Amino acid sequence: MTATQHPPVEHFILHISDTHFVGGADRLHGSIDSDANLARLFEDFSRSKARPEAIAFTGDLADTGDTDAYERLRAIVEPAAAQIGAQVIWVMGNHDTRTPFRKVLLDSDAGEKSVDTVTDVNGLRVIALDSTVPGHHHGEISDEQYAWLADVLATPAPHGSVIALHHPPVPSLIEPNAFVELREQARFAEAIRGTDVRAVLGGHLHFNTFSEIGGVPVSVASATCYTQDLNVEPGGMRGQDGAQGFNLVHVYGDRVMHTVVPIGEFSTVYEVSADQMQALVSLPPEEASAAMTKGVGASASVEPEFA
Ligand SMILES: [Fe+2]
Ligand SMILES: [Fe+2]
């Protein structure tokens, strides 16, 4: 078979958002088991045996900023991250509260200052920007934060930068929600235009969307707790228990690729083992193509011809 025309991936990050862990034993909105959804994500992901270098959580990690919610979140994420050898990058969301967020997730007692961090992911710089305004749900980046960001970006990172923030710098598809979006997005655009920022990761919306700002691609991960139904009457909203997911972020020398992965189990249409795939790729191109058509195009029960 023809070898890939692309160079190997340089960096791999998991992008997870809006876990909304609740305090105590309550369920989110009375029905969603936020803890179970995230545990399921890691359980499913472990089957891939993939090894991301980092896991970026783009905010709304706890639903009402409860300490025990952060503790349970850390108890699920830390062992999962250790197992796959990934660093964890925590980003504040409007449902989070800075002091317990810091104390439990970052082992820090720095209190209510904005939580802005820089993580070196083997040469790729991930900048976590706190877009929250305590007591409010919209997003803002302060003058002080913009000055800090300019200072960080003044020196390019070996493999460029990724900014992770909760409030994505995109238009609001659900128009009435414009009041909770990131304010002064034009200023954000100018802050990153022409810098080494290669991607902006966001959350907050509870659905996937992709856009650009200041010449940089923006990718919004959906939520792991519940998602927004976008097939509602204009101006309305309906949270739904379905379509939860997370994103794979693959960074190549010349591009960043975002891939949406749903959480959950679905019925099998066909299945090809790794050994069978290996046999397939070792065939001459015409034979591989014929085997693929014959083998995987039929049904799950058919033994692939190239086995
Ligand atoms: Fe959220
Ligand atoms: Fe949010």
Side-chain angles (χ1 to χ4, degrees), residues 1-305:
M1 263 185 144
T2 314
T4 177
Q5 59 190 300
H6 296 285
V9 65
E10 290 186 352
H11 298 285
F12 176 25
I13 296 173
L14 281 193
H15 176 193
I16 300 174
S17 205
D18 294 77
T19 51
H20 283 261
F21 274 40
V22 295
D26 291 343
R27 294 210 161 187
L28 182 63
H29 294 290
S31 64
I32 299 293
D33 188 340
S34 305
D35 300 39
N37 286 4
L38 188 66
R40 179 63 194 267
L41 182 162
F42 286 118
E43 193 185 314
D44 290 350
F45 183 73
S46 69
R47 284 201 303 277
S48 75
K49 297 195 169 50
R51 289 279 180 269
E53 300 156 273
I55 308 172
F57 284 87
T58 47
D60 281 359
L61 307 182
D63 191 53
T64 51
D66 297 277
T67 296
D68 69 303
Y70 291 120
E71 286 167 347
R72 295 196 328 272
L73 176 67
R74 186 171 172 172
I76 291 175
V77 172
E78 242 176 28
Q83 202 184 4
I84 54 181
Q87 303 186 66
V88 180
I89 297 163
W90 303 109
V91 182
M92 278 282 300
N94 53 297
H95 283 259
D96 292 304
T97 305
R98 287 172 176 166
T99 296
F101 179 101
R102 267 213 160 87
K103 207 173 257 178
V104 180
L105 299 180
L106 306 178
D107 294 320
S108 156
D109 58 4
E112 282 297 296
K113 241 178 80 69
S114 67
V115 186
D116 307 303
T117 62
V118 174
T119 305
D120 171 34
V121 180
N122 305 317
L124 179 73
R125 177 168 57 195
V126 180
I127 301 168
L129 203 51
D130 183 347
S131 56
T132 69
V133 183
H136 297 272
H137 285 293
H138 71 277
E140 275 179 37
I141 292 159
S142 68
D143 292 346
E144 196 186 345
Q145 286 176 292
Y146 273 119
W148 173 83
L149 182 62
D151 197 42
V152 171
L153 295 176
T155 310
H159 300 167
S161 297
V162 169
I163 292 182
L165 81 173
H166 182 63
H167 297 82
V170 299
S172 292
L173 264 190
I174 301 171
E175 275 181 40
N177 265 353
F179 84 103
V180 294
E181 70 187 17
L182 180 70
R183 295 194 180 156
E184 296 189 302
Q185 293 185 18
R187 186 177 180 187
F188 182 79
E190 292 321 304
I192 63 169
R193 190 186 301 280
T195 66
D196 77 341
V197 178
R198 303 177 60 189
V200 175
L201 310 181
H204 191 47
L205 305 182
H206 291 224
F207 59 84
N208 285 105
T209 197
F210 305 93
S211 183
E212 73 84 38
I213 184 132
V216 178
V218 179
S219 171
V220 179
S222 187
T224 62
C225 58
Y226 69 87
T227 68
Q228 286 297 334
D229 177 3
L230 295 178
N231 293 321
V232 291
E233 61 171 343
M237 283 177 84
R238 189 181 81 90
Q240 61 186 358
D241 184 7
Q244 293 92 336
F246 61 104
N247 288 10
L248 312 178
V249 183
H250 288 97
V251 180
Y252 294 85
D254 60 351
R255 72 193 70 197
V256 181
M257 188 164 77
H258 305 272
T259 306
V260 178
V261 183
I263 301 171
E265 200 175 336
F266 308 94
S267 61
T268 303
V269 178
Y270 64 79
E271 203 161 8
V272 184
S273 72
D275 285 347
Q276 289 169 330
M277 278 305 288
Q278 193 49 49
L280 174 70
V281 298
S282 63
L283 292 173
E286 306 75 38
E287 282 180 46
S289 177
M292 204 156 197
T293 308
K294 218 167 173 184
V296 300
S299 77
S301 61
V302 172
E303 187 72 10
E305 287 293 314

